[in-house]
Amino acid sequence: MSKTTFKIEGMHCASCAVTIERALVKTPGVTAANVNYATAKASVEFDDQQATEMDLHEVVIKEGYKVRMDHGAHGEPGIEEHVHGSAASAGKKAALALILAVPVLFIVMLHLPVPTWIIGVVSTVVVFGPGKEFHQMAWMKLKRGRANMDTLISMGTVVALAFSWWQMTVDGDLYFEIAAVITGFILLGRYFEARSKGKASEAIAKLLELGAKTAHRLNQDGSWEEVQVDVLKIGDKVLVKPGEKIPLDATVLDGRSSVDESMLTGESLPISKNVGDTVFGATVNQQGVLTIAIEKLAADTVLAQIVRLVEEAQEKKAPVQKLADRISGIFVPIVILLALVTFVIWMLVTGSLTASLIPAVAVLVIACPCALGLATPTAILVGTGRGARHGILIKNGEALERGRKLDMVVFDKTGTLTEGKPSVTDYVEVGAGSPGPSQGGETTHLSLAASLESLSEHPLSKAFIRYADEQKVIRRPVTDFVVHPGLGVEGKVDGHLVSVGNMMMMQKGNVKMEIATADLARLQDNGKTAVILAIDGVAKVVFGIADTVKATAKRAVQDLQRVGLEVVMLTGDHARTARVIAAELGIEKIEAEILPDQKLAKVKQWQAQGKKVAFVGDGINDAPALSQADLGIAVGSGTDVAIEAGQIVLIGGGPEKVPEAIALSKQTYRVIQQNLFWAFIYNIVGIPLAAMGLLSPIIASAAMAFSSISVVLNALRLRK
């Protein structure tokens, strides 16, 4: 199965997108297709054994549109260039049409002594010159037995124009100015729409601008050469001076400095970097000189991942958009039918061809499925763009809809509410002496614990490793290593079975516990995690592990509770330890001593009670719960954005972004609702007024153009 994304040129309304999407879906081998009118992009999943990308392009071309390959985050030409190019082209057409049409309107209104045939010629030039795209597309659709917004415009202007030429032969009423001005107004509307859509798409362009353009590469002869970032290869050595941007994701080979990673993490304080540390493309070196080795090319950097995530979010439709698409798909045929009915009724009532034609033309030109098509995607464009600037990556429109319906927010504790950088704070020796590696006191016990924990990826493991490195403790070879998820680890060291884990693990392993209850209680009452070291089935030591609560966690909890959301903390820690942390954060409901697979069960349990649940976790260990939750919010570290883990990914920062993400979801969805309401109301009110003859075709065309612009402008309010 393959996936491709390409740009489509020539779409002028939502029904265009619906038509192309339906044609693509019907193509043999295509499993899914999504055509987004706002972004002018098609995303297609297909079986490459049955179809090729060229086959897909041919389908679009046969529908009367042009295909332009999307080169991705770092391709050419750039997004911004394309957006401005489209707006510029629309602007030229609108300017030419209005330069010719406006004088015609004034000549007619002021009854100036200009020959009628000149007015007719100028109007015809406007309709079939700048406005030729309407008629070309209408003809293409007609040949395939279809209709879109261009069909309505073409019918309205051509009918008005042809009728006026015919009326000249019988010395009747003329409506050349209607055809010309309608064309000019609609082209002007498309120009403003293109500009507005360009502003809505600025998020990606701004993200791309963050990257470095050049770099100082070390040549084989030892000299430094300034080169374009595009020519760098994996393994190239690059010199980064103070104040320069790091070109690509890399590893520090030499030097010491601090790096501003705020564009990735949202953290204002620079991060210290030493030999062996990872640095990220587009971040800024602050003080020292660094020599780095390139690890990832442009397409694979963290920045590129962020750009792709934003692009994918903007391409995907929200569920609410499906209704608008269905309506847009049948809208144009219905409008044509209404225009015919209007014409017939007026003919029956008045018997006048002129009196019947004008309201029918007005019905054709006032109808605007464009506003319906733009209502949802433009709001998503702007909302996701704003989120990206603040380190909140929204993967799809569905996340926006779900974010507004939440009842409960469930936090994983370690690394989410806490710093995720635990440290060993206590050493309590409680077991009797025994032969073998148990002898030797703290150093030996720490060596055993660190030896096993060095093979684990659990956050608590890092505490032992760091502490052991500080104490310069030697790690020993481990055999028969086993991880017990949510419990601990065990393995053989020097022929002895060594276990490191929590109380549940010791109980399941029937470990002899000679531990003073008071010592365990003391650690847990201080909010520390008790980790027990056992040798050959006998407990020897209790280590106290402390993890600092994030400074922003309490405020985040309060903000969520303030808007009526129930906040829950899930942890594998002992209940006593969990209660201390929860009390510090102001969380009343906790679920402690929870194994990883039980997190999923808990989420299902709450959902079965009718609650809409958001789960906040690290995006890796919590993946099942993140996937099951109504809204999965993955906390990224700045090095791994955990793209597949949740529907929303928080880059850097911490729990303070959770209420912000939920608030953004609600705001964006509110704008979508407003846009859809006004789009529907506009047509519900406008079409009957036009049919009753209360709107002239010129006013109708201006109103039609304004409807699309107003929807986009409303969406742009989200940028603030």
Side-chain angles (χ1 to χ4, degrees), residues 240-252 254-275 277-292:
V240 186
K241 302 175 183 178
E244 290 184 340
K245 289 183 178 180
I246 292 165
L248 300 169
D249 294 5
T251 300
V252 178
D254 185 48
R256 187 173 181 179
S257 185
S258 56
V259 176
D260 180 2
E261 296 184 347
S262 58
M263 55 78 59
L264 288 179
T265 67
E267 298 291 340
S268 57
L269 295 177
I271 309 298
S272 296
K273 299 293 182 180
N274 299 296
V275 174
D277 289 341
T278 301
V279 291
F280 305 102
T283 59
V284 181
N285 184 28
Q286 295 285 292
Q287 298 160 341
V289 177
L290 296 175
T291 302
I292 60 176

Side-chain angles (χ1 to χ4, degrees), residues 417-436:
L417 292 171
T418 64
E419 293 290 350
K421 298 178 180 177
S423 58
V424 178
T425 58
D426 296 80
Y427 172 88
V428 182
E429 195 165 349
V430 296
S434 64

Side-chain angles (χ1 to χ4, degrees), residues 18-27 59 63 144 146:
V18 173
T19 298
I20 297 170
E21 193 171 285
R22 288 175 178 173
L24 287 169
V25 169
K26 291 179 181 178
T27 304
V59 170
E63 291 295 329
R144 300 183 68 83
R146 296 171 181 166

Side-chain angles (χ1 to χ4, degrees), residues 97-303:
L98 290 173
I99 287 171
L100 296 173
V102 171
V104 168
L105 180 62
F106 277 101
I107 288 170
V108 174
M109 290 176 62
L110 300 176
H111 303 286
L112 298 178
V114 177
T116 305
W117 69 267
I118 293 178
I119 296 174
V121 169
V122 173
S123 299
T124 303
V125 169
V126 172
V127 171
F128 293 104
K132 70 177 181 180
E133 62 186 44
F134 304 133
H135 316 294
Q136 289 174 336
M137 186 58 65
W139 177 244
M140 290 287 296
K141 292 296 178 185
L142 180 63
K143 290 193 294 184
R144 300 183 68 83
R146 296 171 181 166
N148 67 352
M149 189 62 207
D150 293 314
T151 307
L152 301 181
I153 298 168
S154 180
M155 287 180 65
T157 54
V158 170
V159 167
L161 195 67
F163 179 73
S164 297
W165 280 112
W166 176 74
Q167 285 286 82
M168 279 185 64
T169 64
V170 297
D171 199 26
D173 295 327
L174 306 178
Y175 299 98
F176 286 121
E177 77 281 3
I178 290 177
V181 174
I182 286 174
T183 302
F185 277 172
I186 294 174
L187 287 172
L188 183 64
R190 289 190 175 178
Y191 164 66
F192 284 120
E193 183 184 309
R195 284 197 60 184
S196 300
K197 284 165 56 177
K199 289 181 179 179
S201 305
E202 282 179 356
I204 294 178
K206 288 183 177 180
L207 284 172
L208 293 173
E209 289 172 1
L210 294 173
K213 302 297 187 292
T214 61
H216 297 97
R217 183 179 62 186
L218 177 64
N219 296 321
Q220 293 184 349
D221 60 2
S223 63
W224 296 99
E225 176 188 13
E226 186 172 356
V227 298
Q228 296 294 313
V229 170
D230 295 343
V231 306
L232 293 176
K233 302 186 295 292
I234 293 175
D236 280 354
K237 295 179 181 179
V238 173
L239 181 73
V240 186
K241 302 175 183 178
E244 290 184 340
K245 289 183 178 180
I246 292 165
L248 300 169
D249 294 5
T251 300
V252 178
L253 297 178
D254 185 48
R256 187 173 181 179
S257 185
S258 56
V259 176
D260 180 2
E261 296 184 347
S262 58
M263 55 78 59
L264 288 179
T265 67
E267 298 291 340
S268 57
L269 295 177
I271 309 298
S272 296
K273 299 293 182 180
N274 299 296
V275 174
D277 289 341
T278 301
V279 291
F280 305 102
T283 59
V284 181
N285 184 28
Q286 295 285 292
Q287 298 160 341
V289 177
L290 296 175
T291 302
I292 60 176
I294 302 300
E295 296 289 338
K296 294 180 179 178
L297 299 180
D300 302 317
T301 62
V302 171
L303 176 61

